[in-house]
mmCIF file of all heavy atoms in Angstrom:
data_model
loop_
_atom_site.group_PDB
_atom_site.id
_atom_site.type_symbol
_atom_site.label_atom_id
_atom_site.label_comp_id
_atom_site.label_asym_id
_atom_site.label_seq_id
_atom_site.Cartn_x
_atom_site.Cartn_y
_atom_site.Cartn_z
ATOM 1 N N GLY Q 1116 -22.584 20.676 2.402
ATOM 2 C CA GLY Q 1116 -22.566 19.711 3.497
ATOM 3 C C GLY Q 1116 -22.151 18.315 3.104
ATOM 4 O O GLY Q 1116 -21.918 17.471 3.973
ATOM 5 N N GLY Q 1117 -22.048 18.022 1.824
ATOM 6 C CA GLY Q 1117 -21.666 16.686 1.384
ATOM 7 C C GLY Q 1117 -20.187 16.408 1.617
ATOM 8 O O GLY Q 1117 -19.342 17.295 1.465
ATOM 9 N N PHE Q 1118 -19.886 15.149 1.980
ATOM 10 C CA PHE Q 1118 -18.492 14.754 2.210
ATOM 11 C C PHE Q 1118 -17.850 14.365 0.889
ATOM 12 O O PHE Q 1118 -18.404 13.569 0.122
ATOM 13 C CB PHE Q 1118 -18.439 13.582 3.196
ATOM 14 C CG PHE Q 1118 -17.039 13.068 3.446
ATOM 15 C CD1 PHE Q 1118 -16.085 13.882 4.035
ATOM 16 C CD2 PHE Q 1118 -16.678 11.772 3.086
ATOM 17 C CE1 PHE Q 1118 -14.797 13.420 4.273
ATOM 18 C CE2 PHE Q 1118 -15.399 11.298 3.324
ATOM 19 C CZ PHE Q 1118 -14.459 12.126 3.918
ATOM 20 N N VAL Q 1119 -16.663 14.930 0.601
ATOM 21 C CA VAL Q 1119 -15.967 14.681 -0.657
ATOM 22 C C VAL Q 1119 -14.851 13.654 -0.478
ATOM 23 O O VAL Q 1119 -14.704 12.722 -1.281
ATOM 24 C CB VAL Q 1119 -15.397 15.987 -1.235
ATOM 25 C CG1 VAL Q 1119 -14.580 15.715 -2.494
ATOM 26 C CG2 VAL Q 1119 -16.528 16.968 -1.530
ATOM 27 N N GLY Q 1120 -14.046 13.797 0.578
ATOM 28 C CA GLY Q 1120 -12.952 12.858 0.796
ATOM 29 C C GLY Q 1120 -11.994 13.370 1.848
ATOM 30 O O GLY Q 1120 -12.216 14.410 2.477
ATOM 31 N N ALA Q 1121 -10.909 12.617 2.054
ATOM 32 C CA ALA Q 1121 -9.887 12.987 3.039
ATOM 33 C C ALA Q 1121 -8.515 12.674 2.455
ATOM 34 O O ALA Q 1121 -8.349 11.692 1.724
ATOM 35 C CB ALA Q 1121 -10.097 12.243 4.349
ATOM 36 N N TRP Q 1122 -7.542 13.504 2.804
ATOM 37 C CA TRP Q 1122 -6.195 13.366 2.272
ATOM 38 C C TRP Q 1122 -5.192 13.223 3.409
ATOM 39 O O TRP Q 1122 -5.321 13.836 4.454
ATOM 40 C CB TRP Q 1122 -5.803 14.589 1.459
ATOM 41 C CG TRP Q 1122 -6.751 14.965 0.366
ATOM 42 C CD1 TRP Q 1122 -7.628 14.159 -0.296
ATOM 43 C CD2 TRP Q 1122 -6.916 16.274 -0.195
ATOM 44 N NE1 TRP Q 1122 -8.321 14.872 -1.228
ATOM 45 C CE2 TRP Q 1122 -7.914 16.171 -1.202
ATOM 46 C CE3 TRP Q 1122 -6.311 17.509 0.039
ATOM 47 C CZ2 TRP Q 1122 -8.316 17.263 -1.962
ATOM 48 C CZ3 TRP Q 1122 -6.708 18.588 -0.716
ATOM 49 C CH2 TRP Q 1122 -7.704 18.474 -1.704
ATOM 50 N N GLY Q 1123 -4.151 12.441 3.151
ATOM 51 C CA GLY Q 1123 -2.991 12.408 4.024
ATOM 52 C C GLY Q 1123 -3.074 11.431 5.173
ATOM 53 O O GLY Q 1123 -4.109 10.815 5.441
ATOM 54 N N LYS Q 1124 -1.952 11.314 5.853
ATOM 55 C CA LYS Q 1124 -1.816 10.515 7.065
ATOM 56 C C LYS Q 1124 -0.641 11.083 7.837
ATOM 57 O O LYS Q 1124 0.070 11.985 7.355
ATOM 58 C CB LYS Q 1124 -1.563 9.055 6.724
ATOM 59 C CG LYS Q 1124 -0.261 8.819 5.959
ATOM 60 C CD LYS Q 1124 -0.041 7.339 5.678
ATOM 61 C CE LYS Q 1124 1.284 7.115 4.938
ATOM 62 N NZ LYS Q 1124 1.524 5.671 4.680
ATOM 63 N N ARG Q 1125 -0.426 10.572 9.037
ATOM 64 C CA ARG Q 1125 0.680 11.101 9.825
ATOM 65 C C ARG Q 1125 2.011 10.635 9.253
ATOM 66 O O ARG Q 1125 2.185 9.470 8.905
ATOM 67 C CB ARG Q 1125 0.567 10.673 11.281
ATOM 68 C CG ARG Q 1125 1.598 11.369 12.175
ATOM 69 C CD ARG Q 1125 1.355 11.172 13.642
ATOM 70 N NE ARG Q 1125 2.163 12.110 14.419
ATOM 71 C CZ ARG Q 1125 2.141 12.199 15.747
ATOM 72 N NH1 ARG Q 1125 1.326 11.419 16.451
ATOM 73 N NH2 ARG Q 1125 2.897 13.079 16.376
ATOM 74 N N GLY Q 1126 2.941 11.573 9.138
ATOM 75 C CA GLY Q 1126 4.252 11.250 8.617
ATOM 76 C C GLY Q 1126 4.979 12.509 8.203
ATOM 77 O O GLY Q 1126 4.494 13.632 8.388
ATOM 78 N N SER Q 1127 6.153 12.338 7.620
ATOM 79 C CA SER Q 1127 6.969 13.468 7.197
ATOM 80 C C SER Q 1127 7.234 13.460 5.692
ATOM 81 O O SER Q 1127 8.001 14.284 5.192
ATOM 82 C CB SER Q 1127 8.312 13.468 7.945
ATOM 83 O OG SER Q 1127 9.001 12.239 7.722
ATOM 84 N N GLY Q 1128 6.609 12.523 4.974
ATOM 85 C CA GLY Q 1128 6.786 12.467 3.530
ATOM 86 C C GLY Q 1128 5.916 13.483 2.813
ATOM 87 O O GLY Q 1128 5.154 14.241 3.425
ATOM 88 N N LYS Q 1129 6.018 13.495 1.508
ATOM 89 C CA LYS Q 1129 5.205 14.391 0.708
ATOM 90 C C LYS Q 1129 3.732 14.006 0.835
ATOM 91 O O LYS Q 1129 3.370 12.846 0.665
ATOM 92 C CB LYS Q 1129 5.636 14.341 -0.756
ATOM 93 C CG LYS Q 1129 7.058 14.822 -0.993
ATOM 94 C CD LYS Q 1129 7.445 14.684 -2.451
ATOM 95 C CE LYS Q 1129 8.859 15.194 -2.692
ATOM 96 N NZ LYS Q 1129 9.270 15.037 -4.112
ATOM 97 N N GLY Q 1130 2.887 14.986 1.126
ATOM 98 C CA GLY Q 1130 1.470 14.716 1.290
ATOM 99 C C GLY Q 1130 1.111 14.090 2.619
ATOM 100 O O GLY Q 1130 -0.055 13.732 2.840
ATOM 101 N N GLU Q 1131 2.088 13.956 3.518
ATOM 102 C CA GLU Q 1131 1.838 13.478 4.882
ATOM 103 C C GLU Q 1131 1.960 14.658 5.842
ATOM 104 O O GLU Q 1131 2.644 15.646 5.551
ATOM 105 C CB GLU Q 1131 2.828 12.375 5.252
ATOM 106 C CG GLU Q 1131 2.719 11.144 4.375
ATOM 107 C CD GLU Q 1131 3.753 10.086 4.697
ATOM 108 O OE1 GLU Q 1131 4.751 10.403 5.390
ATOM 109 O OE2 GLU Q 1131 3.580 8.937 4.246
ATOM 110 N N PHE Q 1132 1.304 14.535 6.996
ATOM 111 C CA PHE Q 1132 1.219 15.676 7.904
ATOM 112 C C PHE Q 1132 1.525 15.275 9.339
ATOM 113 O O PHE Q 1132 1.333 14.127 9.739
ATOM 114 C CB PHE Q 1132 -0.188 16.290 7.852
ATOM 115 C CG PHE Q 1132 -0.654 16.616 6.465
ATOM 116 C CD1 PHE Q 1132 -1.599 15.826 5.825
ATOM 117 C CD2 PHE Q 1132 -0.143 17.704 5.782
ATOM 118 C CE1 PHE Q 1132 -2.034 16.108 4.549
ATOM 119 C CE2 PHE Q 1132 -0.562 18.002 4.496
ATOM 120 C CZ PHE Q 1132 -1.516 17.200 3.873
ATOM 121 N N ASN Q 1133 1.982 16.265 10.086
ATOM 122 C CA ASN Q 1133 2.220 16.097 11.512
ATOM 123 C C ASN Q 1133 1.644 17.329 12.210
ATOM 124 O O ASN Q 1133 2.278 18.370 12.258
ATOM 125 C CB ASN Q 1133 3.721 15.960 11.786
ATOM 126 C CG ASN Q 1133 4.023 15.553 13.215
ATOM 127 O OD1 ASN Q 1133 3.164 15.031 13.921
ATOM 128 N ND2 ASN Q 1133 5.242 15.801 13.654
ATOM 129 N N PHE Q 1134 0.425 17.186 12.675
ATOM 130 C CA PHE Q 1134 -0.325 18.277 13.301
ATOM 131 C C PHE Q 1134 -0.529 19.455 12.342
ATOM 132 O O PHE Q 1134 -0.035 20.561 12.582
ATOM 133 C CB PHE Q 1134 0.344 18.753 14.593
ATOM 134 C CG PHE Q 1134 0.393 17.713 15.670
ATOM 135 C CD1 PHE Q 1134 1.558 16.987 15.895
ATOM 136 C CD2 PHE Q 1134 -0.720 17.433 16.440
ATOM 137 C CE1 PHE Q 1134 1.607 16.000 16.879
ATOM 138 C CE2 PHE Q 1134 -0.681 16.458 17.431
ATOM 139 C CZ PHE Q 1134 0.482 15.742 17.647
ATOM 140 N N PRO Q 1135 -1.270 19.245 11.263
ATOM 141 C CA PRO Q 1135 -1.617 20.377 10.400
ATOM 142 C C PRO Q 1135 -2.558 21.326 11.141
ATOM 143 O O PRO Q 1135 -3.465 20.884 11.835
ATOM 144 C CB PRO Q 1135 -2.320 19.707 9.216
ATOM 145 C CG PRO Q 1135 -2.907 18.459 9.793
ATOM 146 C CD PRO Q 1135 -1.918 17.997 10.826
ATOM 147 N N THR Q 1136 -2.327 22.625 10.998
ATOM 148 C CA THR Q 1136 -3.096 23.572 11.811
ATOM 149 C C THR Q 1136 -3.903 24.577 11.005
ATOM 150 O O THR Q 1136 -5.031 24.890 11.367
ATOM 151 C CB THR Q 1136 -2.167 24.348 12.757
ATOM 152 O OG1 THR Q 1136 -1.115 24.957 11.989
ATOM 153 C CG2 THR Q 1136 -1.569 23.438 13.815
ATOM 154 N N ASN Q 1137 -3.334 25.136 9.951
ATOM 155 C CA ASN Q 1137 -4.022 26.212 9.248
ATOM 156 C C ASN Q 1137 -3.917 26.040 7.742
ATOM 157 O O ASN Q 1137 -2.982 25.391 7.243
ATOM 158 C CB ASN Q 1137 -3.453 27.573 9.663
ATOM 159 C CG ASN Q 1137 -3.823 27.929 11.092
ATOM 160 O OD1 ASN Q 1137 -4.880 28.480 11.363
ATOM 161 N ND2 ASN Q 1137 -2.942 27.594 12.030
ATOM 162 N N LEU Q 1138 -4.881 26.632 7.026
ATOM 163 C CA LEU Q 1138 -5.004 26.434 5.589
ATOM 164 C C LEU Q 1138 -5.229 27.757 4.865
ATOM 165 O O LEU Q 1138 -5.763 28.706 5.434
ATOM 166 C CB LEU Q 1138 -6.187 25.509 5.280
ATOM 167 C CG LEU Q 1138 -6.237 24.150 5.971
ATOM 168 C CD1 LEU Q 1138 -7.569 23.461 5.673
ATOM 169 C CD2 LEU Q 1138 -5.068 23.279 5.538
ATOM 170 N N ALA Q 1139 -4.831 27.777 3.593
ATOM 171 C CA ALA Q 1139 -5.127 28.919 2.721
ATOM 172 C C ALA Q 1139 -5.179 28.416 1.290
ATOM 173 O O ALA Q 1139 -4.680 27.326 0.969
ATOM 174 C CB ALA Q 1139 -4.064 30.009 2.869
ATOM 175 N N LEU Q 1140 -5.792 29.195 0.418
ATOM 176 C CA LEU Q 1140 -5.936 28.845 -0.990
ATOM 177 C C LEU Q 1140 -5.384 29.961 -1.863
ATOM 178 O O LEU Q 1140 -5.480 31.136 -1.511
ATOM 179 C CB LEU Q 1140 -7.410 28.625 -1.340
ATOM 180 C CG LEU Q 1140 -8.077 27.386 -0.744
ATOM 181 C CD1 LEU Q 1140 -9.578 27.577 -0.673
ATOM 182 C CD2 LEU Q 1140 -7.737 26.142 -1.559
ATOM 183 N N ASP Q 1141 -4.816 29.571 -3.025
ATOM 184 C CA ASP Q 1141 -4.444 30.589 -3.996
ATOM 185 C C ASP Q 1141 -5.529 30.692 -5.054
ATOM 186 O O ASP Q 1141 -6.571 30.020 -4.983
ATOM 187 C CB ASP Q 1141 -3.059 30.309 -4.599
ATOM 188 C CG ASP Q 1141 -3.002 29.019 -5.421
ATOM 189 O OD1 ASP Q 1141 -4.063 28.499 -5.831
ATOM 190 O OD2 ASP Q 1141 -1.874 28.539 -5.672
ATOM 191 N N ARG Q 1142 -5.322 31.529 -6.046
ATOM 192 C CA ARG Q 1142 -6.366 31.787 -7.041
ATOM 193 C C ARG Q 1142 -6.602 30.601 -7.967
ATOM 194 O O ARG Q 1142 -7.631 30.532 -8.638
ATOM 195 C CB ARG Q 1142 -6.000 33.033 -7.852
ATOM 196 C CG ARG Q 1142 -6.051 34.307 -7.023
ATOM 197 C CD ARG Q 1142 -5.859 35.541 -7.871
ATOM 198 N NE ARG Q 1142 -6.084 36.756 -7.091
ATOM 199 C CZ ARG Q 1142 -6.073 37.978 -7.608
ATOM 200 N NH1 ARG Q 1142 -5.837 38.151 -8.903
ATOM 201 N NH2 ARG Q 1142 -6.293 39.027 -6.837
ATOM 202 N N GLN Q 1143 -5.660 29.676 -8.023
ATOM 203 C CA GLN Q 1143 -5.837 28.478 -8.838
ATOM 204 C C GLN Q 1143 -6.523 27.359 -8.075
ATOM 205 O O GLN Q 1143 -6.766 26.287 -8.622
ATOM 206 C CB GLN Q 1143 -4.470 27.988 -9.356
ATOM 207 C CG GLN Q 1143 -3.840 28.880 -10.414
ATOM 208 C CD GLN Q 1143 -3.341 30.202 -9.855
ATOM 209 O OE1 GLN Q 1143 -2.717 30.250 -8.801
ATOM 210 N NE2 GLN Q 1143 -3.637 31.288 -10.539
ATOM 211 N N GLY Q 1144 -6.820 27.599 -6.799
ATOM 212 C CA GLY Q 1144 -7.454 26.579 -5.981
ATOM 213 C C GLY Q 1144 -6.486 25.633 -5.319
ATOM 214 O O GLY Q 1144 -6.907 24.626 -4.729
ATOM 215 N N ASN Q 1145 -5.179 25.919 -5.396
ATOM 216 C CA ASN Q 1145 -4.201 25.086 -4.701
ATOM 217 C C ASN Q 1145 -4.269 25.362 -3.204
ATOM 218 O O ASN Q 1145 -4.458 26.506 -2.779
ATOM 219 C CB ASN Q 1145 -2.795 25.369 -5.223
ATOM 220 C CG ASN Q 1145 -2.647 25.040 -6.691
ATOM 221 O OD1 ASN Q 1145 -3.131 24.015 -7.158
ATOM 222 N ND2 ASN Q 1145 -1.989 25.920 -7.438
ATOM 223 N N LEU Q 1146 -4.119 24.305 -2.428
ATOM 224 C CA LEU Q 1146 -4.273 24.391 -0.980
ATOM 225 C C LEU Q 1146 -2.911 24.453 -0.300
ATOM 226 O O LEU Q 1146 -2.038 23.613 -0.554
ATOM 227 C CB LEU Q 1146 -5.048 23.177 -0.463
ATOM 228 C CG LEU Q 1146 -5.366 23.164 1.032
ATOM 229 C CD1 LEU Q 1146 -6.394 24.239 1.377
ATOM 230 C CD2 LEU Q 1146 -5.885 21.784 1.455
#
């Protein structure tokens, strides 16, 4: 339940998002 942090902002650059909808993880923990 603890808050860790938040990533990104609206945009089209690397690490920026425009309506992110779904997520998945690989075995290395990459998102």
Side-chain angles (χ1 to χ4, degrees):
F1118 177 63
V1119 176
W1122 306 335
K1124 62 178 181 179
R1125 188 169 194 178
S1127 57
K1129 297 177 179 179
E1131 298 177 344
F1132 308 105
N1133 190 19
F1134 296 100
T1136 54
N1137 290 274
L1138 306 173
L1140 291 157
D1141 65 18
R1142 292 187 173 185
Q1143 289 71 44
N1145 298 317
L1146 184 69

